[in-house]
Amino acid sequence: RGGGGGMEGLIPLVNRLQDAFAALGQSCLLDLPQIAVVGGQSAGKSSVLENCVSRDFLPRGSGIVTRRPLVLQLITAKTEYAEFLHCKGRKFTDFDEVRQEIEVETDRITGVNKGISSIPINLRIYSPHVLSLTLIDLPGITKVPVGDQPPDIEQQIRDMIMQFISRENCLILAVTPANTDLANSDALKLAKEVDPQGLRTIGVITKLDLMDEGTDAREILENKLLPLRRGYIGVVNRSQKDIDGKKDIKAALLAERKFFLSHPAYRHMADRMGTPYLQKVLNQVKPEAFVISLALSILDSSWKQQKSY
């Protein structure tokens, strides 16, 4: 792949393939890989996403905060700004305004009283601080309806998540807090249903700093407890107090690094823990998923061509 690792090296290839398909009179509908972020309410999904972007831009609060899928396309660029598909031509440079727009656009479709919808919000963030990835933030798995939510809210959210993670080209980021029982992780249970061999599931363990004294998640992070083919990555997000106190993400990432390097249970694997390592892993695994999806696309196209003769 030369120097252009990750998806960056694949973009010119995609363009050439699309040109080649066009020359043959075929459309090349490449189902590009996406990464779905799945987890229970308050598992730390939003913080994981914000750390990947190095910006505060997601709505926060109690209950279900993500009430529509957010398709977040991160694009490496020299300047930093955001664009919404539904606000064509408008560039957002203030990320507080991005948060407000997500809230307004969510309420426009779902109403203001906690309803949900599977109609996605499409957001692109251009920044020198991101790697080129497409992440999908999905509503947190919940059990009890509140506000205008229907009695079958759990099933509705489950169906919405399944709609995304059932796709073979979708990598699943299963987010689970360290201070809960991993065997009961909703995210891992859903992932196992569509990916029983764990080929496209990455476990993300949050809230490691909130575990009871004298306990740790070493066995999980060493991939010994409930093994996944791609293993687990531990992260330490900002607390609500940190967020309220405006602790910025750069300071949080330094604190996260210090936590892993100084913790007796984790320091031997500190280089395989933390948000920067998670970003790196995501950028490396996407090309694999892309190549599989490309092969399927070519096979499908040639099969259709043969049928037409």
Side-chain angles (χ1 to χ4, degrees), residues 216-219 221-224 257 259-273:
D216 61 60
R218 180 173 174 162
E219 275 206 320
L221 295 173
E222 287 179 343
N223 209 18
K224 289 175 181 170
R257 179 88 181 127
F259 172 83
F260 286 115
L261 285 170
S262 59
H263 197 292
Y266 310 131
R267 58 181 168 226
H268 68 290
M269 50 180 160
D271 288 343
R272 288 177 283 114
M273 295 292 126

Side-chain angles (χ1 to χ4, degrees), residues 67 103-116 148:
R67 294 185 288 121
E103 288 170 347
V104 168
E105 180 57 17
T106 296
D107 291 346
R108 189 177 69 80
I109 298 289
T110 64
V112 295
N113 204 10
K114 304 289 184 188
I116 66 162
D148 286 341

Side-chain angles (χ1 to χ4, degrees), residues 13-48:
L13 170 66
V14 175
N15 293 338
R16 287 205 301 276
L17 280 165
Q18 285 173 329
D19 290 346
F21 272 82
L24 292 168
Q26 295 282 316
S27 63
C28 176
L29 297 170
L30 291 177
D31 200 7
L32 290 169
Q34 295 176 323
I35 299 160
V37 187
V38 180
Q41 263 185 55
S42 308
K45 293 193 293 63
S46 294
S47 295
V48 169

Side-chain angles (χ1 to χ4, degrees), residues 13 23 43 76 123 182 189 197 237 269 306:
L13 170 66
T76 312
L123 171 63
L182 194 70
K189 280 181 188 168
Q197 291 180 290
N237 296 325
M269 50 180 160
Q306 283 168 14

Side-chain angles (χ1 to χ4, degrees), residues 196-252:
Q197 291 180 290
L199 298 174
R200 51 190 182 89
T201 302
I202 297 170
V204 177
I205 305 297
T206 59
K207 307 196 180 185
L208 290 160
D209 52 328
L210 302 180
M211 294 186 79
D212 290 338
E213 205 172 328
T215 64
D216 61 60
R218 180 173 174 162
E219 275 206 320
I220 297 168
L221 295 173
E222 287 179 343
N223 209 18
K224 289 175 181 170
L225 195 64
L226 284 174
L228 288 173
R229 189 71 61 94
R230 295 186 182 275
Y232 295 84
I233 298 168
V235 297
V236 175
N237 296 325
R238 292 170 303 163
S239 66
Q240 194 56 51
K241 188 181 164 194
D242 290 337
I243 293 159
D244 295 341
K246 302 283 184 210
K247 180 176 183 178
D248 76 5
I249 288 173
K250 279 181 190 154

Side-chain angles (χ1 to χ4, degrees), residues 5-286:
M7 284 304 282
E8 289 84 349
L10 286 170
I11 292 164
L13 170 66
V14 175
N15 293 338
R16 287 205 301 276
L17 280 165
Q18 285 173 329
D19 290 346
F21 272 82
L24 292 168
Q26 295 282 316
S27 63
C28 176
L29 297 170
L30 291 177
D31 200 7
L32 290 169
Q34 295 176 323
I35 299 160
V37 187
V38 180
Q41 263 185 55
S42 308
K45 293 193 293 63
S46 294
S47 295
V48 169
L49 280 168
E50 287 184 330
N51 287 355
C52 286
V53 178
S54 298
R55 281 285 185 182
D56 291 312
F57 69 98
L58 291 169
R60 290 185 179 274
S62 58
I64 302 179
V65 181
T66 307
R67 294 185 288 121
R68 289 174 61 183
L70 177 73
V71 178
L72 174 64
Q73 201 175 349
L74 304 180
I75 298 160
T76 312
K78 287 192 173 75
T79 55
E80 189 174 52
Y81 63 94
E83 286 178 339
F84 287 93
L85 190 62
H86 65 270
C87 297
K88 281 216 168 82
R90 184 179 170 193
K91 285 185 180 181
F92 291 76
T93 51
D94 181 340
F95 281 79
D96 284 336
E97 288 181 13
V98 171
R99 180 189 295 112
Q100 287 160 14
E101 187 56 42
I102 292 171
E103 288 170 347
V104 168
E105 180 57 17
T106 296
D107 291 346
R108 189 177 69 80
I109 298 289
T110 64
V112 295
N113 204 10
K114 304 289 184 188
I116 66 162
S117 165
S118 60
I119 300 166
I121 295 172
N122 289 274
L123 171 63
R124 281 184 172 184
I125 293 180
Y126 299 81
S127 168
H129 311 298
V130 302
L131 295 172
S132 296
L133 300 168
T134 299
L135 297 152
I136 303 159
D137 189 19
L138 293 163
I141 302 153
T142 186
K143 311 281 182 200
V144 183
V146 296
D148 286 341
Q149 290 168 1
D152 65 340
I153 185 76
E154 184 182 0
Q155 190 60 45
Q156 281 197 27
I157 291 175
R158 184 194 156 84
D159 292 346
M160 191 193 301
I161 292 169
M162 285 298 192
Q163 190 185 319
F164 286 92
I165 68 172
S166 300
R167 299 172 189 166
E168 283 297 319
N169 73 319
C170 180
L171 284 162
I172 305 162
L173 220 53
V175 181
T176 305
N179 54 358
T180 58
D181 182 3
L182 194 70
N184 293 323
S185 162
D186 291 315
L188 287 171
K189 280 181 188 168
L190 288 178
K192 205 167 179 63
E193 281 185 42
V194 295
D195 181 32
Q197 291 180 290
L199 298 174
R200 51 190 182 89
T201 302
I202 297 170
V204 177
I205 305 297
T206 59
K207 307 196 180 185
L208 290 160
D209 52 328
L210 302 180
M211 294 186 79
D212 290 338
E213 205 172 328
T215 64
D216 61 60
R218 180 173 174 162
E219 275 206 320
I220 297 168
L221 295 173
E222 287 179 343
N223 209 18
K224 289 175 181 170
L225 195 64
L226 284 174
L228 288 173
R229 189 71 61 94
R230 295 186 182 275
Y232 295 84
I233 298 168
V235 297
V236 175
N237 296 325
R238 292 170 303 163
S239 66
Q240 194 56 51
K241 188 181 164 194
D242 290 337
I243 293 159
D244 295 341
K246 302 283 184 210
K247 180 176 183 178
D248 76 5
I249 288 173
K250 279 181 190 154
L253 291 176
L254 285 171
E256 178 188 58
R257 179 88 181 127
K258 188 179 172 187
F259 172 83
F260 286 115
L261 285 170
S262 59
H263 197 292
Y266 310 131
R267 58 181 168 226
H268 68 290
M269 50 180 160
D271 288 343
R272 288 177 283 114
M273 295 292 126
T275 304
Y277 182 73
L278 174 61
Q279 285 179 294
K280 190 175 152 191
V281 166
L282 294 179
N283 205 45
Q284 283 170 345
V285 294
K286 281 194 72 177

Side-chain angles (χ1 to χ4, degrees), residues 21 26-28 295-306:
F21 272 82
Q26 295 282 316
S27 63
C28 176
L296 291 170
S297 171
I298 291 169
L299 284 169
D300 185 50
S301 186
S302 64
W303 182 73
K304 282 177 186 161
Q305 212 170 11
Q306 283 168 14

